[in-house]
Amino acid sequence: MFRAIADVLRQIGGAVATVVTLPFRALARLFGGASSSARGRRA
């Protein structure tokens, strides 16, 4: 019983973690691409 509850909580925690980190990953990718393209334009 407790093991099943722990598994459910673990899955919910993993889903929340992915949802929270996704926007930050997208922003990092956007800023990373902008900075790399800016470097390419300067050179």
Side-chain angles (χ1 to χ4, degrees), residues 2 5-6 8 10 14 19 23 32 38 40-43:
F2 288 111
I5 294 172
V8 171
R10 201 172 298 137
V19 169
R41 286 177 193 158
R42 285 178 192 164

Side-chain angles (χ1 to χ4, degrees), residues 5-34:
I5 294 172
D7 287 338
V8 171
L9 288 176
R10 201 172 298 137
Q11 288 179 352
I12 293 172
V16 170
T18 52
V19 169
V20 168
T21 54
L22 269 175
F24 291 107
R25 285 182 188 172
L27 284 174
R29 190 176 297 170
L30 280 173
F31 285 115

